[in-house]
Amino acid sequence: MATIITEPSYTFNEFLLIPGYSSAECRSANVSLKTPLVKFRKGEEPSITMNIPMVSAIMQAVSDDKLAVALATEGGVAFIFGSQSIENEAAMVRRAKAYKAGFVKSDSNLSPDNTLADVIDVTNRTGHSTIAITDNGTAEGKLVGIVTSRDYRVSRMSPDLKVREFMTPLEKMVTAPESTTLKEANDIIWDNKLNSLPLIDDEGKLCYMVFRKDYDTHKRNPNELLDEHKRYVVGAGINIRDYKDRIPALIEAGADVLCLDSSDGFTEWQRQVILWIRENYGESVKIGAGNVVDAEGFRFLAEAGADFIKVGIGGGSICITRETKGIGRGQATSVIEVCRARNEYFEETGIYIPICSDGGIVYDHHITLALAMGADFVMLGRYFARFDESPSNKVNINGTYYKEYWGEGSARARNWQRYDMGGAEGKMAFVEGVDSYVPYAGSLKNNVAVTLSKVRSTMCSCGALTIPELQQKAKLTLVSATSIVEGGAHDVIQKDTTPSVK
Ligand code: IMP
């Protein structure tokens, strides 16, 4: 006879937080959103701590190198999608890791044999007025000069004039060696009244440019999440099929943390992958596993050695797993049960395993609810897909901008490994996700700032200044269907009917 759980499983929308006592200290500015990404022993520090409790979904429409840089700038971690060739995924990781905060690869480059017309063309194309002149016209060539808007006058010079005739040659430029730190570069920029400083290697080849304005931007990102070499922290998705080839490539490319990407993580395949990692890399490679929705699934992955455990089946916005397979569980109930199991495991072993609530975050306050229920961070797909930095197309439909967003189990992504139960390779007999549009919402930075200001504010209402404090102090109440209606604007005729910001 099957086990029947008669208690219904709940979603975030069915819960509210009850405010607790807020002391005078409970101000948003005093709230810390720091949270562990990987497991640690009692009394020790995790090897990776995020500055905000947000990671991006392992999805083609969400997490590429551009989003990884944008999210790490705000203090979170992106998991670059694994449903692409090993080479392409490793290249994305490499690009995100190569992006040194404040150091940029020059995107406007010409050779001395190019002409003024080419300079104008590049300036129009990139919007940048500083052009590095290298022997072969590439971003890695030997630096021979620089052209800025101060070097030419379009009205007085022939468009055919060669760059070598009017560039500022290397001997008149200030440059610095590749090993220069951002702080040193900034000092050189200020001392010499420069707008930019090229960094070159021993052979004189161009490595990076440091721009005066970028240093200021860097200063404006106090939360950025960096490794010990001051590179952004980047995650990457893997699967249970080609991991013996994919993991070494991703580690070589510089990935800081990996995550198994699967709709159902309570499987022998996941255990095999974790064991393989431990055999080959010990504890030095960090691996998240999942997804699970109950204590049993948690225990299995914890004992297999997972560094964090992801929770959620069927709650994703593009997900139709519950409809197609009839598996899943309300996200709130899943998070609550798994976090309870995690706390018991911590009591027993002294090992704290962070829990990630994956999928189904619709309103910003769902993040706070997930944290209050015991999650250490949340994974978001739809949320990030809406931003400039996500890889998907921005389209205009009847005057409104949208971004495309498709599930990994949709016919479009065909990420069969994610739904692989060990059957024939490459087969996807049915889809578990849809292809959709989401309203375009602008830059990641602005949206994350608003979202987290709401999280901080709610935490203050609960009298909590840190996430662990919230988990301890939060009082949650189930709400009746009728009181959900009461929670929105009701019994008024709203003047502005555009959907409110989520
Ligand atoms: P969202 O934040 O609600 O959009 O959910 C994102 C999460 O949905 C991802 O992190 C995955 O766990 C899950 N997911 C991604 N693609 C699919 C799919 O095609 N079907 C079911 N779940 C998916």
Side-chain angles (χ1 to χ4, degrees):
M1 171 78 187
T3 304
I4 313 278
I5 302 170
T6 49
E7 171 82 355
S9 66
Y10 295 105
T11 66
F12 292 131
N13 247 0
E14 290 163 284
F15 283 91
L16 283 176
L17 282 154
I18 297 176
Y21 166 69
S22 309
S23 72
E25 287 301 297
C26 287
R27 279 178 285 125
S28 289
N30 291 340
V31 172
S32 162
L33 293 174
K34 281 190 186 301
T35 196
L37 177 61
V38 292
K39 73 180 175 201
F40 58 96
R41 285 187 176 280
K42 199 172 186 167
E44 291 176 6
E45 288 293 310
S47 63
I48 309 175
T49 298
M50 293 190 289
N51 292 328
I52 61 171
M54 296 168 107
V55 302
S56 67
I58 312 167
M59 297 175 71
Q60 294 173 2
V62 181
S63 300
D64 67 352
D65 46 308
K66 199 167 159 201
L67 193 113
V69 168
L71 182 51
T73 303
E74 301 312 313
V77 172
F79 283 89
I80 289 175
F81 64 94
S83 52
Q84 59 178 326
S85 72
I86 295 175
E87 296 69 39
N88 287 354
E89 188 181 9
M92 282 190 180
V93 171
R94 207 168 282 120
R95 277 203 296 277
K97 292 301 288 184
Y99 191 98
K100 280 168 108 189
F103 294 79
V104 289
K105 280 267 168 211
S106 172
D107 71 351
S108 306
N109 309 287
L110 289 172
S111 85
D113 291 325
N114 283 105
T115 61
L116 176 59
D118 296 325
V119 168
I120 293 159
D121 180 47
V122 168
T123 309
N124 289 342
R125 213 163 6 95
T126 61
H128 295 151
S129 57
T130 301
I131 300 176
I133 309 302
T134 58
D135 58 350
N136 58 9
T138 72
E140 290 84 28
K142 215 165 166 179
L143 187 69
V144 293
I146 199 158
V147 169
T148 71
S149 51
R150 277 181 291 190
D151 292 309
Y152 58 88
R153 284 180 80 180
V154 178
S155 55
R156 303 244 175 128
M157 287 157 63
S158 157
D160 298 329
L161 194 66
K162 296 270 191 220
V163 163
R164 69 172 74 253
E165 305 291 332
F166 61 92
M167 70 183 188
T168 303
L170 183 64
E171 48 290 4
K172 291 199 182 149
M173 288 169 61
V174 180
T175 63
E178 188 185 4
S179 56
T180 309
T181 66
L182 192 57
K183 166 106 189 45
E184 289 162 353
N186 188 51
D187 290 344
I188 298 171
I189 285 173
W190 277 90
D191 293 347
N192 295 279
K193 297 193 165 70
L194 306 171
N195 279 323
S196 67
L197 177 72
L199 301 195
I200 53 180
D201 69 11
D202 296 344
E203 294 169 36
K205 288 189 178 151
L206 182 60
C207 303
Y208 298 105
M209 300 288 288
V210 177
F211 291 93
R212 177 189 289 250
K213 64 175 176 20
D214 285 351
Y215 185 77
D216 296 340
T217 312
H218 173 65
K219 283 272 159 210
R220 280 203 301 272
N221 298 320
N223 276 335
E224 55 190 12
L225 194 62
L226 305 176
D227 66 15
E228 72 270 23
H229 304 293
K230 303 265 177 262
R231 300 173 308 180
Y232 286 119
V233 173
V234 179
I238 61 163
N239 63 67
I240 55 163
R241 287 276 180 177
D242 60 16
Y243 60 94
K244 291 183 186 165
D245 297 322
R246 195 173 287 267
I247 293 174
L250 295 172
I251 295 302
E252 204 265 322
D256 298 272
V257 54
L258 306 175
C259 186
L260 275 157
D261 179 26
S262 172
S263 75
D264 172 9
F266 193 176
T267 69
E268 178 56 21
W269 314 115
Q270 294 228 344
R271 202 173 71 90
Q272 293 297 332
V273 176
I274 300 170
L275 291 183
W276 186 85
I277 289 178
R278 296 297 173 240
E279 268 163 31
N280 289 279
Y281 297 93
E283 295 290 327
S284 70
V285 167
K286 304 296 175 194
I287 174 80
N291 287 5
V292 295
V293 289
D294 69 357
E296 225 183 313
F298 166 84
R299 187 53 79 147
F300 175 81
L301 291 178
E303 283 170 358
D307 286 296
F308 68 86
I309 292 176
K310 218 144 60 69
V311 177
I313 297 180
S317 56
I318 31 49
C319 177
I320 51 168
T321 297
R322 293 186 195 166
E323 281 168 23
T324 49
K325 285 184 69 176
I327 60 162
R329 196 176 203 189
Q331 186 65 10
T333 301
S334 308
V335 171
I336 292 167
E337 181 174 322
V338 170
C339 290
R340 249 184 221 139
R342 183 273 312 279
N343 293 349
E344 279 165 27
Y345 186 81
F346 181 53
E347 285 297 309
E348 261 170 63
T349 62
I351 298 170
Y352 185 90
I353 302 179
I355 299 299
C356 170
S357 172
D358 175 17
I361 299 287
V362 180
Y363 296 101
D364 290 332
H365 78 261
H366 289 171
I367 298 176
T368 326
L369 286 171
L371 298 173
M373 289 168 185
D376 298 271
F377 55 98
V378 294
M379 178 173 267
L380 307 115
R382 186 196 62 86
Y383 178 86
F384 287 119
R386 301 171 303 149
F387 304 151
D388 289 318
E389 294 83 353
S390 80
S392 72
N393 288 329
K394 184 167 139 191
V395 292
N396 185 327
I397 303 172
N398 297 333
T400 305
Y401 281 106
Y402 296 87
K403 296 261 305 191
E404 292 183 303
Y405 179 44
W406 61 97
E408 286 295 294
S410 67
R412 180 165 179 181
R414 299 203 72 77
N415 180 2
W416 62 270
Q417 291 97 333
R418 187 168 196 275
Y419 301 92
D420 188 8
M421 297 304 287
E425 277 197 38
K427 289 254 171 69
M428 231 176 74
F430 53 90
V431 295
E432 289 191 43
V434 301
D435 191 356
S436 69
Y437 297 114
V438 285
Y440 164 68
S443 81
L444 180 145
K445 189 179 194 65
N446 292 346
N447 283 278
V448 166
V450 173
T451 297
L452 294 181
S453 71
K454 292 185 202 167
V455 172
R456 286 192 193 92
S457 175
T458 310
M459 285 172 64
C460 286
S461 290
C462 296
L465 292 177
T466 64
I467 293 171
E469 213 182 330
L470 175 71
Q471 291 164 345
Q472 244 182 12
K473 290 188 171 172
K475 271 192 285 182
L476 290 145
T477 178
L478 267 170
V479 291
S480 72
T482 328
S483 72
I484 294 174
V485 177
E486 185 188 58
H490 61 93
D491 300 306
V492 292
I493 299 159
Q494 265 184 274
K495 291 182 184 167
D496 183 0
T497 51
T498 48
S500 61
V501 182
K502 281 183 173 172

